[in-house]
Amino acid sequence: MGGGFGPHCIVPACISCLAEYPSLHLVLVGQSSLLESLIARYPGVDRARLRVEHAGEIIAMDERPAQALRGKPDSSMRISLELLRSGAAQACVSAGNTGALMALSRYVLKTLPGIDRPAMVTAIPTQAGFCHLLDLGANVDCSAEHLYQFAVMGSVTAEALGAVRPRVALLNVGTEDIKGNQQVKLAASLLQQAEGLNYIGFVEGDGLYRGEADVVVCDGFVGNILLKSSEGLAAMIAGRIEALFKSSLAARMVGFFALPLLRRLQGELAPAQHNGASFVGLQGIVVKSHGAAGPEGFKSAIRRALREIEENLPQRLHGRLGEHLL
Amino acid sequence: MGGGFGPHCIVPACISCLAEYPSLHLVLVGQSSLLESLIARYPGVDRARLRVEHAGEIIAMDERPAQALRGKPDSSMRISLELLRSGAAQACVSAGNTGALMALSRYVLKTLPGIDRPAMVTAIPTQAGFCHLLDLGANVDCSAEHLYQFAVMGSVTAEALGAVRPRVALLNVGTEDIKGNQQVKLAASLLQQAEGLNYIGFVEGDGLYRGEADVVVCDGFVGNILLKSSEGLAAMIAGRIEALFKSSLAARMVGFFALPLLRRLQGELAPAQHNGASFVGLQGIVVKSHGAAGPEGFKSAIRRALREIEENLPQRLHGRLGEHLL
């Protein structure tokens, strides 16, 4: 029921994914009358693989996590997570209120042993391919131990998603040992002693986009600012390019040929397009779709959940955490 | 003597600025033999307005600030700042080691009364024009009071550089009151009570680039990551665009016309091109040029210093701080 477009975006995305993945089964949790009416627009859909589960309440996008946790036992988000906990579902995908989703996930699913706080991680495009960035906003204050746990979880997640011996770095304001705040310096000394992790040291904001690391670790305040400012800058550049090719008749003529190419590139690069941030460190797979994502974006989030189910990510994390955690 | 290109970049920039501003006088501080040999390449230069002051030591780009402070009394950076303190110069412009420049500036010039820590501020391009962002890395750990002082200094600086009743915002992970870490929440409550400041609340990373505020305040860790990741992303997008127009013969033909337009845009947008970050809160004008800037970039930094001299920024800050500080 969440996100900027709600079921009007999610239902078409789900129906398209069902066609794409013949073994996929989906449960849509929310206002059943609305969901059924939207599904009815697609008469060919295989209802044996698409079930609707009614939920009487909705968590608003600006609702406080504590309120969502205590005041709404019958929310679509809560019921989805209960389905995951009971084993009736293997992953939960939501476009709703991020803070509420994190709070409910922790409460319903619990964290993996040894993990204090789950983190949000997503892949962002770099000059060299992709970089897994975490935390993206679940934890605005982090100790060195939290950053260390994020590094371990990021490394295992990157491996599960295909990276070989991923290079793990701490995001910092410089690459020399003396740079950074206390948490980052202390996390660096913890990571230097960690065996089995390919820790490469500090990376700066520009180094991240140059592709110097496969996993970049920071607290949720910094990660959120980095991700959103990157989205904002990419949108600004795209807007300026569109305006540039309207600035004169000659520019319009060039733009007629250039803009279709550039718009394709924009789709490849905008961080929001690589949609789907995972909550890692929970006893279950939870993927958060960007609230502003359209149907194609929501499909990416479902694909990410499928990938994590195939790789059995929570089990894999559980196994590896034992080796690494302090 | 500092920056990636040293006097080979700085001398041509200075000579070009002398031609542009007939009332400008410059003192070049560093290895006099090298500086004189570079100046000798420009026989027409008005040496009555270009003086060389010898300095026997150089602070390396990776030197620790504490070492620069204690171990090098004869560095070009130190002597430049002493010229400023004595009144022999009205502003200091450096492309050198940022941490050392900040430490030496604080030691030699001292902060304005009521200011605990100077901040670095620069103007970055947004959809609506420009936004003054501070701190950019001078202070990696900040209390709410520091953020409040940055807000006051940012507002006065923006006014001095032409903004009318600048909208001041705190950078945060959301716009609701409950969002953010303790420092940011507490700074917000201090700013809400501040009279005479046009405080508009929280702004997110994407809102910054949409131009929602004229002054955006954050700690130096976050500001540094935002600025450098923006530089990295802008460079990545520029690189992908160049590659796009080489991907096929047809694309090459479009690129022949499109790339010159796009390169001009790149120059306008890359944050590093708006070169020159000011250290505000000191008893003197100090401008830091980006280490990677070429002669045109260094000229921007000199222009920024000229503007601050014209506006008498430190005096103006001193007057306004009395009204606002806690």
Side-chain angles (χ1 to χ4, degrees):
Chain A
M1 300 303 292
F5 313 105
H8 296 273
C9 155
I10 294 169
V11 169
C14 287
I15 285 171
S16 173
C17 272
L18 285 170
E20 203 170 310
Y21 300 96
S23 67
L24 176 67
H25 288 64
L26 290 171
V27 187
L28 299 183
V29 187
Q31 284 186 344
S32 57
S33 55
L34 173 59
L35 294 172
E36 289 292 357
S37 75
L38 289 168
I39 294 168
R41 296 181 188 174
Y42 304 87
V45 68
D46 178 5
R47 289 301 304 260
R49 296 194 288 126
L50 181 65
R51 186 159 72 78
V52 169
E53 178 104 12
H54 181 70
E57 290 170 314
I58 297 169
I59 293 171
M61 293 301 277
D62 57 354
E63 201 158 333
R64 288 179 181 232
Q67 163 68 13
L69 198 58
R70 291 190 210 103
K72 294 199 170 165
D74 200 28
S75 69
S76 53
M77 201 181 267
R78 175 70 171 267
I79 291 175
S80 304
L81 290 164
E82 298 283 2
L83 288 172
L84 184 51
R85 181 173 62 171
S86 71
Q90 289 173 277
C92 168
V93 181
S94 170
N97 180 324
T98 308
L101 184 63
M102 179 54 90
L104 278 167
S105 296
R106 286 181 69 167
Y107 179 76
V108 173
L109 301 173
K110 313 299 178 203
T111 57
L112 290 168
I115 294 294
D116 296 330
R117 301 182 182 184
M120 269 178 85
V121 56
T122 198
I124 63 171
T126 70
Q127 284 188 17
F130 288 92
C131 154
H132 299 268
L133 179 68
L134 76 167
D135 175 42
L136 298 174
N139 311 281
V140 292
D141 284 300
C142 292
S143 68
E145 287 75 18
H146 295 137
L147 294 174
Y148 177 88
Q149 292 176 10
F150 297 169
V152 174
M153 296 195 292
S155 178
V156 177
T157 302
E159 267 180 4
L161 298 177
V164 178
R165 211 172 138 65
R167 296 161 300 162
V168 178
L170 282 167
L171 189 62
N172 201 354
V173 298
T175 53
E176 306 88 6
D177 286 349
I178 55 157
K179 290 292 179 80
N181 55 32
Q182 282 307 315
Q183 306 91 280
V184 167
K185 284 187 225 176
L186 190 53
S189 68
L190 294 175
L191 284 164
Q192 275 152 8
Q193 296 156 32
E195 285 175 26
L197 272 193
N198 186 12
Y199 174 66
I200 60 163
F202 296 138
V203 68
E204 298 184 66
D206 48 348
L208 180 154
Y209 278 110
R210 276 197 299 269
E212 291 175 3
D214 303 303
V215 177
V216 172
V217 175
C218 58
D219 71 44
F221 195 98
V222 172
N224 182 286
I225 298 291
L226 193 158
L227 190 69
K228 287 187 185 159
S229 62
S230 294
E231 287 174 17
L233 177 59
M236 180 179 92
I237 292 174
R240 293 269 185 117
I241 288 174
E242 297 272 344
L244 177 75
F245 288 116
K246 286 176 185 153
S247 59
S248 70
L249 185 62
R252 258 178 217 277
M253 287 170 66
V254 177
F256 181 78
F257 297 101
L259 282 174
L261 290 167
L262 289 163
R263 286 190 191 121
R264 208 172 57 205
L265 181 70
Q266 188 190 345
E268 284 170 31
L269 285 183
Q273 306 300 318
H274 300 274
N275 186 39
S278 304
F279 288 1
V280 289
L282 292 165
Q283 299 190 28
I285 295 167
V286 179
V287 175
K288 170 67 176 68
S289 171
H290 198 290
E296 278 307 314
F298 199 84
K299 281 173 69 179
S300 298
I302 295 174
R303 280 192 206 103
R304 180 160 185 132
L306 278 169
R307 190 80 194 273
E308 294 186 17
I309 293 170
E310 282 164 14
E311 298 294 336
N312 207 349
L313 186 60
Q315 273 305 104
R316 200 161 163 159
L317 272 168
H318 180 54
R320 292 289 300 281
L321 289 172
E323 302 167 31
H324 289 300
L325 288 186
L326 305 172
Chain B
M1 302 302 294
F5 313 105
H8 296 272
C9 155
I10 294 169
V11 168
C14 287
I15 285 170
S16 173
C17 272
L18 285 171
E20 204 169 311
Y21 300 96
S23 67
L24 176 66
H25 289 64
L26 291 171
V27 187
L28 298 185
V29 186
Q31 284 187 345
S32 57
S33 55
L34 174 59
L35 294 173
E36 289 291 357
S37 74
L38 289 167
I39 294 169
R41 296 182 188 174
Y42 304 87
V45 67
D46 177 6
R47 289 300 305 260
R49 296 194 288 124
L50 181 66
R51 185 158 74 77
V52 168
E53 176 104 12
H54 181 69
E57 290 170 313
I58 298 169
I59 293 171
M61 292 303 277
D62 57 355
E63 201 158 334
R64 289 180 181 232
Q67 163 68 13
L69 199 57
R70 292 191 210 103
K72 293 200 169 164
D74 200 28
S75 69
S76 53
M77 203 181 265
R78 175 71 172 266
I79 292 175
S80 304
L81 291 164
E82 298 284 2
L83 288 173
L84 184 50
R85 182 174 62 171
S86 72
Q90 288 173 277
C92 168
V93 181
S94 170
N97 180 324
T98 308
L101 184 62
M102 179 54 89
L104 278 168
S105 296
R106 284 181 72 168
Y107 179 75
V108 174
L109 302 173
K110 313 299 178 202
T111 56
L112 290 168
I115 294 294
D116 295 331
R117 301 183 183 184
M120 266 178 89
V121 56
T122 198
I124 63 171
T126 70
Q127 284 187 18
F130 288 92
C131 155
H132 300 268
L133 179 69
L134 75 168
D135 174 43
L136 298 175
N139 311 280
V140 292
D141 284 302
C142 292
S143 68
E145 287 74 19
H146 295 137
L147 295 174
Y148 177 87
Q149 292 175 10
F150 297 168
V152 174
M153 294 195 292
S155 178
V156 177
T157 302
E159 267 181 4
L161 298 177
V164 179
R165 213 173 136 62
R167 295 162 301 161
V168 178
L170 281 167
L171 190 62
N172 200 355
V173 299
T175 53
E176 306 87 8
D177 286 349
I178 55 158
K179 290 294 178 76
N181 55 30
Q182 282 307 315
Q183 306 90 282
V184 167
K185 284 187 223 175
L186 190 52
S189 68
L190 294 175
L191 284 164
Q192 275 152 9
Q193 296 157 32
E195 286 175 24
L197 270 194
N198 186 12
Y199 173 66
I200 61 163
F202 295 139
V203 68
E204 297 184 67
D206 47 348
L208 181 154
Y209 278 109
R210 277 197 300 272
E212 291 175 2
D214 304 302
V215 177
V216 172
V217 175
C218 59
D219 71 44
F221 195 97
V222 171
N224 182 286
I225 299 290
L226 192 159
L227 191 69
K228 287 187 185 157
S229 63
S230 292
E231 287 173 18
L233 176 59
M236 179 179 91
I237 292 175
R240 294 270 185 118
I241 287 174
E242 297 273 343
L244 176 76
F245 288 117
K246 286 177 187 153
S247 59
S248 71
L249 185 62
R252 259 178 215 277
M253 287 170 67
V254 177
F256 181 78
F257 297 101
L259 281 175
L261 290 167
L262 289 163
R263 286 188 192 124
R264 206 172 59 204
L265 182 69
Q266 188 191 346
E268 286 170 29
L269 286 182
Q273 306 301 317
H274 300 275
N275 187 38
S278 304
F279 288 2
V280 288
L282 292 166
Q283 299 190 27
I285 296 166
V286 179
V287 175
K288 169 68 176 68
S289 172
H290 198 291
E296 279 306 312
F298 199 84
K299 282 172 69 179
S300 299
I302 295 175
R303 281 192 205 102
R304 180 161 184 131
L306 278 169
R307 191 78 193 276
E308 293 187 17
I309 293 170
E310 282 164 14
E311 298 294 336
N312 207 348
L313 186 60
Q315 273 304 104
R316 202 163 163 158
L317 272 167
H318 180 55
R320 290 290 300 282
L321 289 171
E323 302 165 29
H324 288 300
L325 287 186
L326 305 171

